[in-house]
Amino acid sequence: MTRNNPSRSSGKSGKAGKTSKPGQVARPRWGSKPTRSAATDREGYTAQTAPIVPAEPKPQVAQDRPAPAAKTAAGKSASASKSAAAKSAQGSKGERPRKQAVRPPKALRAAKPARAERTPKAPTGDSLVGERYEVEVGPVAHGGGHCVARHEGRVLFVRHTLPGERVIAQVTEGTTTSRFLRADAVEILEAAKERIPAPCPFSGPGKCGGCDWQHVTPGGQRKLKGQVLTEQLAKLAGLTPAEAGWDGSVEPVGGKLPAGEVPAWRSRIQYAVDPETGKAGLRRHRSHDIEPIDRCLIAAPGVTELGIEARDWPGVETVEAIAASGSSDRQVVLTPRAGAQLPLVELDQPVSISRIDEQGLFHRVHGRTFVRERAAGRTWRVSNGGFWQIHPEAPTTLVDAVLAGLDPQWGEMALDLYCGVGLFAGALADRVGEDGAVLGIESSKQAVVDARHNLAEVDNVRIECDKVESLLPRTGITSTDLIVLDPPRAGAGRETVAHLVGLEARRIAYVACDPAALARDLAFFREGGYRPVSLRAFDLFPMTHHFECVAILEPVGE
């Protein structure tokens, strides 16, 4: 699709006669490397040739694995973006040593003072939980799948409803002194036209918190997401949809389904296990309580076929099921309860098993520590349950949107920030060719190992490991042609944006899973002289309030 894509402007890279300032790297080259064979593991397999469950290798040393970050639907990790599980610290064996470019020594910096621990304030006033109010429902609000209503002047954030409805709202959180209350719509008095019976039996007030909009038509869901993006752009960036280069639509991804059928898109699911019954389920909204289920309707077929819900998991706290897209690889990652013995796992499908210890370290139990994903014309190794977009069509959809918006040219230089396992870096490298170069920066050590493995035969890419805000100023790069950034849910922030606008890129692609963070950063870019010329939104997380955006920015006046 090419809708909302700007026509290419030459930008600074096409201006004749421009001279570099002293010390400026207008055409940064990050070194060439000889063609090498694909990296192999200890058995001699590459990521493309490894069997589903190879012969047992010697036990691996446990690899660091960070604590999970908050998920988006989309699913981005806290180390580079992104997601929901954010376990992008991953491990690799047998990869050939890679020649490293010499970097300037780290500048001395003053240590940041430690933040004082804050003790949560106990709620004051009398509890209103369980109270019921008849309310008229107002607009949808950002985050949480709720809409805004009012009762006697107090705001209620109400789930399981739609704008324009009249409902009975039952309070789920709040006291007589709370500034606002949270509630569920437990009775629908006047229904909106977009309301449908929820297809999932585990969706509804007090039940599974995984989906927000099971009670809304697919078109109605996208309309709600569009309203959220419109409101965030106006509130935080001072932009109308037209000023942001957006046509106001949230584009569907995937084929059209029969009425009442739920898209089975989620290729990674983390189940919680009830300690008393050993049964797997999903957490309820804003709760540690577990809703037992026998099937998740939005789970991808590869996850469903593992049968996680059908067996008992004694001594296990969580079970994460991963079904790779484009390969038959399946992985189950177990987190045992403290002091419990890991059960013997026998599933109906060939699957690799790993576990997380009490220190958050990743251990191989059986099979491989990675899965192979297929997207954008390449096979990608993703190790230790690390970040990968959870909708099967998301990686290629986002790559296509980024490339269409940036329009990379042969010989250009590009930065891929928060690059993960190298998805955008690989796509950019193909377009800028051997006369161009791409530098990827990623903070997760194992994601960097995977990225270098995935792009080992691509000579014009270099991947470096560090935080973007720490490494980018030390690279010596003061100018580039193109920038892609796919930050975590919190966004890039003012300081990083200020550094990026100083690089004078002719175009910047910003991939975002949170509309509020995107809108805030667009305001920072505008302060630095960049404006959005194209914005597209994609419904990559049906039935939830999450969606993904790709904004293309250019210097003002280009």
Side-chain angles (χ1 to χ4, degrees):
M1 302 177 68
T2 58
R3 182 172 44 182
N4 294 337
N5 294 327
S7 58
R8 180 176 183 269
S9 64
S10 60
K12 70 170 188 62
S13 60
K15 294 178 182 178
K18 182 173 180 178
T19 58
S20 298
K21 299 176 183 178
Q24 184 182 34
V25 186
R27 278 284 185 266
R29 291 313 302 261
W30 300 299
S32 58
K33 54 184 188 298
T35 303
R36 64 184 71 185
S37 58
T40 59
D41 61 18
R42 298 179 64 171
E43 286 76 37
Y45 294 114
T46 68
Q48 288 75 26
T49 62
I52 293 178
V53 181
E56 290 283 319
K58 295 179 181 180
Q60 289 184 341
V61 177
Q63 304 294 321
D64 288 343
R65 180 186 179 91
K71 291 186 178 182
T72 82
K76 300 200 177 218
S77 92
S79 67
S81 72
K82 308 176 178 180
S83 99
K87 295 166 248 175
S88 36
Q90 310 153 4
S92 169
K93 291 286 183 177
E95 183 161 346
R96 297 185 181 184
R98 188 181 183 88
K99 186 176 180 180
Q100 300 293 323
V102 177
R103 297 204 303 254
K106 185 179 293 186
L108 295 176
R109 295 190 296 267
K112 293 182 179 179
R115 291 185 177 179
E117 291 293 333
R118 292 184 178 180
T119 303
K121 293 182 180 180
T124 59
D126 298 327
S127 174
L128 293 176
V129 173
E131 292 292 323
R132 295 190 173 196
Y133 307 121
E134 181 176 327
V135 296
E136 290 186 1
V137 180
V140 63
H142 167 56
H146 50 248
C147 297
V148 179
R150 292 181 182 273
H151 177 72
E152 297 181 350
R154 181 178 291 169
V155 171
L156 281 74
F157 292 116
V158 187
R159 281 172 56 84
H160 309 292
T161 188
L162 284 166
E165 292 188 326
R166 177 173 288 276
V167 304
I168 301 297
Q170 179 171 304
V171 177
T172 56
E173 293 181 40
T175 70
T176 53
T177 60
S178 298
R179 292 188 300 109
F180 61 86
L181 305 175
R182 296 186 184 275
D184 286 340
V186 295
E187 185 178 346
I188 310 302
L189 304 179
E190 296 178 12
K193 65 179 182 179
E194 294 89 358
R195 176 175 285 277
I196 59 173
C200 178
F202 309 109
S203 175
K207 297 182 181 180
C208 173
C211 291
D212 307 299
W213 304 120
Q214 286 271 350
H215 60 285
V216 189
T217 63
Q221 294 178 40
R222 295 193 296 273
K223 180 180 177 181
L224 291 171
K225 296 176 186 186
Q227 291 170 358
V228 168
L229 181 54
T230 299
E231 190 262 347
Q232 294 301 306
L233 288 172
K235 177 181 178 181
L236 300 177
L239 295 171
T240 65
E243 290 170 335
W246 177 45
D247 67 2
S249 70
V250 177
E251 302 174 37
V253 177
K256 189 174 182 180
L257 297 174
E261 187 172 335
V262 174
W265 56 270
R266 194 176 183 101
S267 62
R268 298 180 175 212
I269 294 182
Q270 186 175 75
Y271 298 87
V273 178
D274 189 314
E276 296 182 359
T277 65
K279 293 294 185 181
L282 298 173
R283 302 259 184 215
R284 293 169 183 154
H285 182 64
R286 294 179 59 84
S287 172
H288 293 292
D289 294 340
I290 299 170
E291 179 74 17
I293 65 172
D294 54 29
R295 183 191 172 193
C296 176
L297 294 186
I298 65 172
V303 170
T304 300
E305 69 187 12
L306 292 175
I308 302 298
E309 305 95 333
R311 60 154 293 158
D312 295 337
W313 300 93
V316 175
E317 184 174 332
T318 65
V319 181
E320 183 173 16
I322 302 171
S325 303
S327 80
S328 57
D329 293 353
R330 305 290 181 263
Q331 187 177 38
V332 169
V333 182
L334 306 176
T335 303
R337 296 194 177 276
Q341 184 177 1
L342 196 70
L344 179 65
V345 179
E346 294 182 356
L347 298 174
D348 295 335
Q349 300 292 326
V351 63
S352 297
I353 307 292
S354 299
R355 69 178 177 90
I356 308 299
D357 67 17
E358 295 180 5
Q359 287 72 45
L361 303 180
F362 191 97
H363 300 264
R364 172 190 170 278
V365 175
H366 175 73
R368 294 193 312 274
T369 59
F370 63 85
V371 296
R372 294 163 295 174
E373 303 279 1
R374 186 73 184 172
R378 279 192 172 89
T379 297
W380 306 89
R381 186 180 75 181
V382 183
S383 299
N384 297 4
F387 172 77
W388 185 258
Q389 289 283 350
I390 56 178
H391 192 298
E393 296 185 43
T396 297
T397 297
L398 296 176
V399 165
D400 289 347
V402 165
L403 292 181
L406 291 181
D407 189 20
Q409 301 298 299
W410 188 271
E412 288 190 315
M413 308 298 157
L415 297 175
D416 180 10
L417 309 180
Y418 316 93
C419 71
V421 299
L423 178 66
F424 295 115
L428 287 168
D430 292 340
R431 295 287 290 270
V432 301
E434 60 185 14
D435 291 338
V438 180
L439 173 64
I441 300 177
E442 166 61 43
S443 63
S444 164
K445 293 180 180 179
Q446 184 52 51
V448 167
V449 172
D450 280 343
R452 290 172 176 169
H453 171 95
N454 294 331
L455 302 174
E457 295 182 346
V458 183
D459 293 335
N460 59 343
V461 173
R462 195 179 92 193
I463 307 294
E464 292 293 342
C465 184
D466 206 338
K467 293 182 179 179
V468 169
E469 60 270 25
S470 300
L471 178 59
L472 191 56
R474 306 198 313 267
T475 61
I477 298 173
T478 59
S479 178
T480 190
D481 297 301
L482 303 171
I483 299 172
V484 178
L485 65 155
D486 187 3
R489 176 164 292 276
R494 183 185 294 274
E495 291 186 7
T496 298
V497 169
H499 188 91
L500 296 182
V501 299
L503 299 180
E504 299 181 338
R506 75 168 175 85
R507 278 195 184 156
I508 298 173
Y510 190 131
V511 183
C513 64
D514 184 88
L518 171 65
R520 180 207 63 198
D521 285 348
L522 288 180
F524 295 155
F525 274 110
R526 185 167 63 175
E527 291 175 4
Y530 275 76
R531 64 185 176 93
V533 293
S534 169
L535 176 62
R536 297 175 68 183
F538 300 96
D539 189 17
L540 294 175
F541 314 100
M543 304 293 163
T544 79
H545 70 273
H546 300 286
F547 57 101
E548 203 89 6
C549 295
V550 176
I552 305 298
L553 298 98
E554 286 184 353
V556 174
E558 288 290 345

